[in-house]
Amino acid sequence: MSSKIPVGILGATGVVGQRFIQMLERHPWFEVAWLAASDRSEGKSYAEAARWRLKTPIPTAVAAMRVSPAIPDGAPRVIFAALDAGIAAELEPRFAHAGCAVVSNSSALRMQQDVPLVIPEVNPDHIKLIDGQSWRKKSGGYVVTNPNCSAIGLVLALAPLQQRFGLETVMAVTMQAVSGAGYPGVASLDILGNVIPYIAKEEEKMEEETRKLLGQMNGTKVVSATFAMSAQCNRVAVEDGHTESVSIRLNRKAKPEEMIAAWNSFRAEPQELELPSAPKDPVVYFGAPDRPQPRFDIDLGAGMTTSVGRLRPCGVLDWKFTVLSHNTIRGAAGAAVLNAELLKAKGYLG
Ligand SMILES: NC(=O)c1ccc[n+]([C@@H]2O[C@H](COP(=O)([O-])OP(=O)(O)OC[C@H]3O[C@@H](n4cnc5c(N)ncnc54)[C@H](OP(=O)(O)O)[C@@H]3O)[C@@H](O)[C@H]2O)c1
């Protein structure tokens, strides 16, 4: 008998669902025990249902598992959810109501006042919002979310600066990988040799989520940060890895070497607690003038490290720099697994 915690994956066949399976294959605390997806996949073996697109093979035990219907009956108490927002809005509350800890990737409930939106290195104290959720009070179930795949890299780069110098203004322009649109995602004829300057609702998500993540817990509420923020989001023909060009104005003067030291020395609760998926370095600054690049740098820290480079003065705000993070690992499955590890470390997984 395994002593690991059995977990389920809702949306197991998708781009993020596959990353969950890959990341959980040798996880020391969690074991995949249940998989669910749409009616299209229900009843099939996972190997039949999923169009597997990762470079490591499907774990043997998972390949043979039957895909269950997406209902709480028979599901384990810990659920990683990787559903489209529309269906997540319906299903995630249903699982929480049934007593499950739902660790979600979707945007459906991220901005709901009683739902924590968490990056364990940045705002681990926000998980206390769980205690106010009606599901928690009735059945023990709850929902915790991780941010949008572009917001997470940006916030990991901003948090060390906010802590030391304060933030007044943030402008970010993204170049987002095609895997961020799920599978089959953007049609090849639309994206090859092209840049699409529109991703539905992405700019709004980046702006509101960044402020919630960098906001303060005040009693039983999160008060969002008040800095000015503008995001512009583009889809580019890159497979994995979101790159962002960022300009900022700080509240206090900073020297470049102080900002680089703030990034490179940034450590937080996941590193102190030695959570299994926590990278040794959450943020790394590259000194080379042409880095970071998705092709070379997205796998840093097993895909959990955010890379920063090209720090230089900005002619409009104070400073500008480049940020890169892995959208399906740090921006999705890895973010949720780290959230679940934090929940376990804080006693929320029973
Ligand atoms: N891709 C990224 O980089 C990324 C990053 C951060 C957050 N997210 C978020 O994560 C979520 C999943 O994204 P993805 O990229 O993995 O999408 P995806 O590749 O399109 O996968 C969607 C998954 O949801 C399942 N599904 C669809 N309709 C369903 C229904 N009615 N009932 C149950 N399951 C249903 C699909 O099952 P079938 O295969 O059976 O259709 C599939 O497993 C989205 O909310 C997305 O915004 C994605």
Side-chain angles (χ1 to χ4, degrees):
M1 275 291 279
S2 165
S3 58
K4 293 185 187 178
I5 298 172
V7 300
I9 304 172
L10 261 177
T13 50
V15 167
V16 177
Q18 295 183 21
R19 277 288 178 203
F20 273 122
I21 285 166
Q22 185 188 52
M23 291 198 69
L24 292 169
E25 185 177 3
R26 292 185 187 85
H27 197 281
W29 299 350
F30 305 130
E31 184 169 56
V32 175
W34 181 91
L35 305 169
S38 75
D39 300 355
R40 186 191 69 76
S41 307
E42 191 186 315
K44 295 181 183 164
S45 72
Y46 183 76
E48 261 181 291
R51 191 184 280 260
W52 187 258
R53 53 171 301 282
L54 298 179
K55 287 172 187 147
T56 53
I58 306 179
T60 319
V62 170
M65 267 183 202
R66 291 280 141 201
V67 178
S68 298
I71 53 172
D73 294 353
R77 303 280 287 187
V78 180
I79 297 291
F80 290 107
L83 297 166
D84 295 327
I87 187 71
E90 193 187 311
L91 291 188
E92 290 178 0
R94 205 177 287 168
F95 278 76
H97 180 77
C100 297
V102 180
V103 186
S104 163
N105 262 281
S106 122
S107 60
L109 303 177
R110 279 179 199 148
M111 293 305 295
Q112 195 167 299
Q113 230 184 30
D114 59 356
V115 172
L117 172 63
V118 177
I119 303 174
E121 283 92 343
V122 175
N123 60 339
D125 55 322
H126 291 198
I127 67 168
K128 286 195 289 249
L129 288 181
I130 289 171
D131 301 331
Q133 293 182 5
S134 57
W135 308 299
R136 177 78 168 157
K137 290 175 188 156
K138 286 185 197 137
S139 66
Y142 57 86
V143 178
V144 170
T145 61
N146 55 260
N148 168 278
C149 43
S150 297
I152 199 160
L154 177 68
V155 170
L156 276 160
L158 293 178
L161 304 180
Q162 187 202 35
Q163 287 169 12
R164 293 202 193 183
F165 312 109
L167 287 171
E168 192 191 292
T169 305
V170 176
M171 297 184 68
V173 178
T174 71
M175 289 149 273
Q176 300 184 213
V178 282
S179 61
Y183 190 87
V186 190
S188 56
L189 281 180
D190 289 341
I191 193 68
L192 284 176
N194 202 13
V195 172
I196 300 173
Y198 174 67
I199 304 174
K201 298 193 190 138
E202 196 80 353
E203 294 175 354
E204 295 85 341
K205 285 185 212 167
M206 272 192 82
E207 291 172 9
E208 62 186 13
E209 291 178 19
T210 297
R211 291 201 197 94
K212 181 171 178 179
L213 287 156
L214 292 171
Q216 294 297 315
M217 198 66 203
N218 184 354
T220 55
K221 277 192 188 151
V222 171
V223 180
S224 288
T226 54
F227 51 81
M229 160 102 204
S230 171
Q232 300 187 60
C233 298
N234 304 284
R235 184 79 65 201
V236 298
V238 166
E239 188 182 353
D240 290 314
H242 291 353
T243 305
E244 304 179 32
S245 293
V246 183
S247 295
I248 54 165
R249 175 167 290 143
L250 299 169
N251 286 335
R252 290 185 290 286
K253 285 253 171 287
K255 294 184 181 138
E257 57 273 22
E258 292 173 328
M259 295 169 71
I260 292 168
W263 283 318
N264 284 335
S265 64
F266 182 58
R267 301 286 182 279
E269 237 178 286
Q271 286 69 39
E272 282 153 27
L273 294 169
E274 298 185 7
L275 299 181
S277 304
K280 184 172 85 45
D281 302 302
V283 183
V284 164
Y285 183 81
F286 281 71
D290 60 350
R291 303 288 278 274
Q293 295 182 23
R295 180 172 297 166
F296 303 117
D297 303 318
I298 46 162
D299 292 325
L300 200 65
M304 292 295 282
T305 292
T306 291
S307 306
V308 182
R310 301 215 62 221
L311 176 66
R312 60 218 189 276
C314 172
V316 179
L317 302 180
D318 294 338
W319 296 101
K320 52 188 175 181
F321 52 87
T322 303
V323 175
L324 169 72
S325 70
H326 197 307
N327 55 295
T328 65
I329 299 182
R330 185 45 123 156
V337 172
L338 194 59
N339 275 353
E341 292 168 1
L342 181 72
L343 289 167
K344 180 176 181 304
K346 298 222 178 238
Y348 279 93
L349 293 189

